[in-house]
Amino acid sequence: MFTTSRLISNWLLVALPIALCACTSSDAVVPTPKNVIEAKPQSSPPSVNNADKLNSIQEERYSLLIHRVDKRLEVRNNQSVPIYKATIGIGKGGLKDKQNMNDFVTPTGEMSVDLILYKKSEYNQISQDNVKRFVKVTQYRNLVNPQQGLAQLFKNMSSLDFDGNGSPDGAYGNGYIGLTSTTSITGPKMSTFQGTPYWFSIALHGTPNPENIGQANSGGCIHLDSNTLQQLIEKGWVKLGTKVTVVD
């Protein structure tokens, strides 16, 4: 014979598991413990990818604006704001329209960089268009190699004796930034002088004569002092494809 207390005990043994199962169902409301603070929904901040940000900085493109009359160069950032200015030298042919590579005139117009040669050969660069063009010519093939070839090309150019005094002129100083254009005369590019292959184009380059800066003494190229040349190349302000505009 069961007593009342025994009946209650047996009922609890059956009911308790059922109650515990109900607490884990999807419809159950689970009370939040008093020591837990519920997070409030917040709007997600914009996602910032550090790698993308770094790449955008590294890929920032600069441009050069050159004034023939004032003999001044400006480096401009992406917003066309000048960040650097320097005095330059220009062609001794005067402020005229350029007719050919022998008139000593610095051309005006829109140009772009297609070759960089520098005393530190790790900065040397050449456009693929130039490589494709001159790799077909046996005499020039090895000189358009982006590594040893460009270093040898600059050695060739530095060894030339244009004035015929029997010693190298070092006419290009510490570096040479070749220019190309579809609308302005910029040269035949690769050529030879007394049998030595060299690059023959309108360019921004150094000079062994500091007094040329601020003057109209060049054969048509733009003379730069060694500090300006270094900053343009080593700071990455000038790269292949950099836009160069020459105005009066």
Side-chain angles (χ1 to χ4, degrees):
M1 183 175 186
F2 293 100
T3 63
T4 302
S5 59
R6 189 169 181 181
L7 285 172
I8 294 173
S9 175
N10 288 343
W11 178 86
L12 287 174
L13 290 174
V14 174
L16 185 57
I18 297 173
L20 291 175
C21 290
C23 288
T24 60
S25 70
S26 59
D27 296 328
V29 178
V30 181
T32 302
K34 292 182 180 180
N35 63 340
V36 175
I37 300 176
E38 290 182 316
K40 296 181 179 180
Q42 297 180 356
S43 58
S44 301
S47 176
V48 177
N49 187 313
N50 288 334
D52 289 345
K53 189 174 182 180
L54 179 60
N55 288 337
S56 68
I57 293 173
Q58 292 174 337
E59 293 172 3
E60 184 173 4
R61 304 296 287 190
Y62 300 89
S63 61
L64 304 185
L65 179 62
I66 294 170
H67 303 266
R68 286 199 310 183
V69 173
D70 296 337
K71 300 177 182 66
R72 185 179 77 252
L73 173 148
E74 294 179 3
V75 179
R76 298 191 165 204
N77 63 15
N78 283 348
Q79 289 73 46
S80 296
V81 176
I83 62 170
Y84 180 84
K85 297 180 181 181
T87 302
I88 61 171
I90 64 169
K92 57 187 175 183
L95 304 176
K96 300 181 292 187
D97 291 337
K98 190 169 186 62
Q99 301 297 320
N100 56 69
M101 286 296 288
N102 298 317
D103 61 12
F104 306 126
V105 172
T106 298
T108 57
E110 300 288 336
M111 307 170 209
S112 62
V113 173
D114 66 345
L115 177 74
I116 298 175
L117 303 174
Y118 191 48
K119 63 178 181 179
K120 299 178 182 179
S121 61
E122 62 267 28
Y123 290 95
N124 290 345
Q125 301 177 50
I126 185 170
S127 72
Q128 283 303 306
D129 285 345
N130 283 331
V131 173
K132 291 176 182 178
R133 177 181 175 186
F134 293 109
V135 77
K136 300 174 183 178
V137 183
T138 303
Q139 187 179 15
Y140 304 140
R141 180 175 302 145
N142 293 335
L143 295 175
V144 295
N145 179 288
Q147 302 300 323
Q148 297 87 353
L150 294 183
Q152 182 60 51
L153 177 60
F154 193 50
K155 287 181 181 179
N156 286 3
M157 295 167 65
S158 300
S159 73
L160 297 176
D161 178 20
F162 291 114
D163 60 15
N165 68 355
S167 62
D169 294 346
Y172 306 104
N174 291 331
Y176 183 98
I177 301 168
L179 300 177
T180 190
S181 174
T182 58
T183 56
S184 301
I185 296 172
T186 54
K189 309 301 181 180
M190 195 73 84
S191 186
T192 59
F193 180 79
Q194 296 182 348
T196 300
Y198 79 114
W199 200 264
F200 180 38
S201 76
I202 295 300
L204 298 92
H205 63 73
T207 173
N209 304 311
E211 62 270 19
N212 284 332
I213 304 303
Q215 303 299 318
N217 289 336
S218 84
C221 289
I222 296 159
H223 281 150
L224 306 176
D225 64 67
S226 58
N227 179 63
T228 297
L229 187 62
Q230 178 182 8
Q231 296 212 59
L232 291 179
I233 294 176
E234 294 192 17
K235 287 192 174 182
W237 291 340
V238 168
K239 300 178 181 178
L240 293 181
T242 294
K243 180 181 176 182
V244 179
T245 305
V246 182
V247 298
D248 281 330

